[in-house]
Amino acid sequence: MLGLRRCLTFATGLVECLCFAGAVFGWASLVFVLKTEGYFSSLCVNATELNGTLITDCSGQDEQFSLVFTIASFMNNFLTLPNGFLYDRFGTTVARLFGIFLYTTGTLFVAFSNAALSILLFPALSFLAVGGILFLITNMQVGNLFGSRRSTIITLYNGAFDSSSALFLVIKLLFESGVSLRASFLFLSACGVIHLFRTFFLLPKTTIPYPLPDGYTYGMTCGKSKTFSPGQVAANGSAQKDDTTEETPLDKESPPKQEKSFRECFLSWFFLWHLLWLSVMQLRHYLFIGTLNPMLQRLTQGEPSLVSQYTNAFAITQLCGVLCAPWNGLIMDRHKGKPRAPGETEREADLRASVLSLFLTALQCVLFSICASTPLLPLQYLTFILQVLNRSFLYGGNAAFISVAFPSCHFGKLYGMVMALSAVFSVLQYPCFALVKGALGGDPLYVNVALTLLSLLAFIHPLSVYLHCRSLAAQRAKSKDAIAASAASTASTASA
């Protein structure tokens, strides 16, 4: 029965992340529908080109759509900080109820908006973004139920989060088939019942501990369960038994002495370089998503059928995020079950395994940025593939690295902090867009080149982790030599 519940928790969590959580990042597909419905159309003006041709200039409309996405993506990340504290302090149930309220409110705002009430898009997309990230945060703990595949599950959920951006493609296709925008978003509102069911029956009230204690149960019908204090965890990761209820699966009031405080984690070089790694790549992705529609308009000379074709292609590739993300988890979990080096802890082994993941993610971003900077329309198919591959590695790797590099009792706070601080950096996407539309006359080449160069800073993080792991290995070797020399000296003295 317990095994069935865990499988149901995993499967329904995957569906929730895949179908709802990251819908806001399918913005390019929704913009196509919103333009057709006339949202912000009052900002389009008639203009005359140099040859005297009369055209309609909708740059003001594009700027408003870009601003809606900029604010929503900022709120998605920045409010992850208080959401992380909410999750760590009050547990899963409270965090999810808040997320369900925001998500349902956002869908209702879109459902009852129209061209005259275009302003409702600003709170609506922000509510969808913040509610969606709460779904992801509360689902990532499910990885703790699966032990050695923990990183794989975390990255899989993040990949599903990326793929959920295809939800707006489904809405676009339904719209083209005659289903109204209002009907689609009212259906999404009704799905709140499914989220409530998972909250009360398939997830714990607090959090799922790691390592998982023997006999641990969760959900509305759980009774007594076996749990542990982190200080009772043996070297091999097993937990000593201690009778208590599910209400306190992890004794956060008495953390083990070897665990770092939140302040120490926040001020560490690991956190700083990880923040830089995430921020520069996230900015590149946000600017690409937020400006995809005007970019396609420019490359296709405004041909609606081509714009729709490439928008659909981009949205379809987003579905592959759930397939790409587990590759990153397998890279990070590849050492599980293998013997570690003498004296090497599990955390050190996890850090060593993360270097390759961090490096490949940075490399993918540079390649994606180069393709996105090249003004060739057919090349954008490759750009879309690299974008979804890199994005799934980026967010899955972000959560997985925080889970292995820092104490689990600080996961929610540190995940929220890194997302919030990277959100401040991502606000640069709007001035970049304004610069392209203004001084650069609609040509984003120079901004794209600058962002490509900025992406190179992401390589600092894997280099830092690699040097740290090599330093630890050198210390272990030196300690081993010292012990051997001491033993030899003692044996020599005894024989004399």
Side-chain angles (χ1 to χ4, degrees):
M1 183 63 181
L2 183 59
L4 176 61
R5 173 175 288 180
R6 290 182 182 181
C7 290
L8 280 174
T9 298
F10 165 71
T12 55
L14 187 62
V15 171
E16 185 173 76
C17 289
L18 182 61
C19 297
F20 301 97
V24 69
F25 294 104
W27 177 240
S29 297
L30 188 61
V31 165
F32 189 90
V33 176
L34 296 173
K35 283 187 173 182
T36 305
E37 290 283 272
Y39 284 70
F40 297 119
S41 58
S42 60
L43 298 176
C44 293
V45 297
N46 293 324
T48 305
E49 291 186 328
L50 294 177
N51 60 5
T53 304
L54 187 65
I55 62 170
T56 301
D57 181 10
C58 289
S59 58
Q61 183 189 38
D62 288 336
E63 192 167 334
Q64 282 299 298
F65 282 129
S66 178
L67 184 59
V68 170
F69 180 75
T70 299
I71 293 174
S73 57
F74 171 79
M75 299 295 282
N76 172 79
N77 284 2
F78 189 76
L79 290 187
T80 304
L81 174 59
N83 287 340
F85 277 90
L86 176 73
Y87 170 65
D88 280 347
R89 176 66 180 84
F90 296 103
T92 303
T93 300
V94 172
R96 282 184 60 83
L97 289 176
F98 181 56
I100 293 168
F101 168 75
L102 291 177
Y103 197 90
T104 304
T105 303
T107 56
L108 289 173
F109 273 19
V110 177
F112 292 104
S113 67
N114 52 47
L117 294 173
S118 302
I119 198 71
L120 285 179
L121 291 177
F122 285 96
L125 265 292
S126 295
F127 286 169
L128 285 173
V130 178
I133 199 67
L134 274 167
F135 289 160
L136 177 63
I137 290 174
T138 55
N139 275 311
M140 284 192 292
Q141 63 180 323
V142 174
N144 295 347
L145 296 173
F146 296 91
S148 63
R149 293 304 173 196
R150 183 185 183 212
S151 294
T152 303
I153 299 297
I154 291 174
T155 54
L156 181 62
Y157 273 13
N158 277 269
F161 178 86
D162 293 338
S163 294
S164 66
S165 58
L167 174 64
F168 284 169
L169 169 65
V170 174
I171 291 175
K172 174 180 177 290
L173 295 176
L174 289 173
F175 178 80
E176 292 172 342
S177 300
V179 179
S180 69
L181 191 66
R182 175 170 296 182
S184 295
F185 276 89
L186 285 177
F187 175 78
L188 290 178
S189 302
C191 289
V193 176
I194 300 174
H195 305 316
L196 288 173
F197 176 83
R198 288 198 71 248
T199 300
F200 291 115
F201 291 98
L202 293 176
L203 286 169
K205 293 180 182 178
T206 52
T207 56
I208 299 173
Y210 183 79
L212 200 67
D214 294 334
Y216 174 76
T217 61
Y218 60 93
M220 179 68 78
T221 59
C222 70
K224 292 278 185 175
S225 64
K226 301 291 184 181
T227 188
F228 68 101
S229 167
Q232 294 174 303
V233 179
N236 62 1
S238 63
Q240 295 181 8
K241 297 180 179 179
D242 176 36
D243 290 333
T244 187
T245 64
E246 186 269 340
E247 292 294 330
T248 55
L250 188 61
D251 185 5
K252 295 181 181 178
E253 297 301 319
S254 57
K257 294 182 179 180
Q258 68 269 22
E259 298 282 33
K260 291 183 178 180
S261 68
F262 170 72
R263 176 185 173 85
E264 289 174 324
C265 295
F266 174 66
L267 296 177
S268 66
W269 282 107
F270 265 7
F271 186 85
L272 174 64
W273 295 131
H274 187 67
L275 174 62
L276 178 66
W277 178 84
L278 175 66
S279 297
V280 296
M281 289 190 281
Q282 182 173 258
L283 174 62
R284 187 67 191 96
H285 283 272
Y286 278 4
L287 187 65
F288 178 76
I289 295 171
T291 61
L292 179 61
N293 186 266
M295 181 194 79
L296 292 177
Q297 292 278 358
R298 183 175 59 85
L299 293 179
T300 62
Q301 283 80 49
E303 175 59 42
S305 61
L306 277 177
V307 173
S308 179
Q309 175 186 326
Y310 276 85
T311 300
N312 290 351
F314 171 73
I316 290 170
T317 58
Q318 301 306 298
L319 286 169
C320 298
V322 70
L323 303 177
C324 299
W327 302 349
N328 196 17
L330 292 173
I331 289 173
M332 297 192 71
D333 284 336
R334 68 188 188 278
H335 65 292
K336 301 289 188 181
K338 298 179 181 178
R340 298 194 295 266
E344 185 181 43
T345 66
E346 184 176 0
R347 176 178 175 273
E348 291 169 4
D350 289 341
L351 281 175
R352 178 168 48 80
S354 72
V355 174
L356 180 59
S357 168
L358 297 171
F359 172 79
L360 288 177
T361 306
L363 180 62
Q364 291 164 3
C365 185
V366 172
L367 295 176
F368 150 65
S369 189
I370 291 173
C371 290
S373 304
T374 307
L376 293 176
L377 186 60
L379 184 63
Q380 299 316 306
Y381 287 121
L382 178 59
T383 303
F384 298 160
I385 294 171
L386 289 172
Q387 189 270 342
V388 70
L389 177 64
N390 182 231
R391 192 162 177 267
S392 62
F393 267 62
L394 176 63
Y395 289 108
N398 169 46
F401 180 81
I402 292 174
S403 72
V404 302
F406 302 105
S408 60
C409 57
H410 302 314
F411 176 80
K413 296 184 286 291
L414 289 171
Y415 182 79
M417 185 67 75
V418 77
M419 295 297 282
L421 293 177
S422 66
V424 177
F425 193 77
S426 70
V427 173
L428 291 174
Q429 64 181 296
Y430 185 71
C432 286
F433 180 80
L435 177 64
V436 171
K437 284 292 184 181
L440 297 179
D443 186 358
L445 178 63
Y446 294 110
V447 170
N448 285 333
V449 170
L451 289 175
T452 302
L453 295 175
L454 188 66
S455 299
L456 295 174
L457 294 176
F459 286 102
I460 296 176
H461 187 33
L463 178 62
S464 171
V465 178
Y466 170 74
L467 292 176
H468 174 79
C469 292
R470 194 171 72 168
S471 173
L472 291 177
Q475 290 176 14
R476 288 196 302 270
K478 184 177 180 181
S479 176
K480 182 179 178 181
D481 292 342
I483 293 173
S486 176
S489 177
T490 301
S492 176
T493 303
S495 61

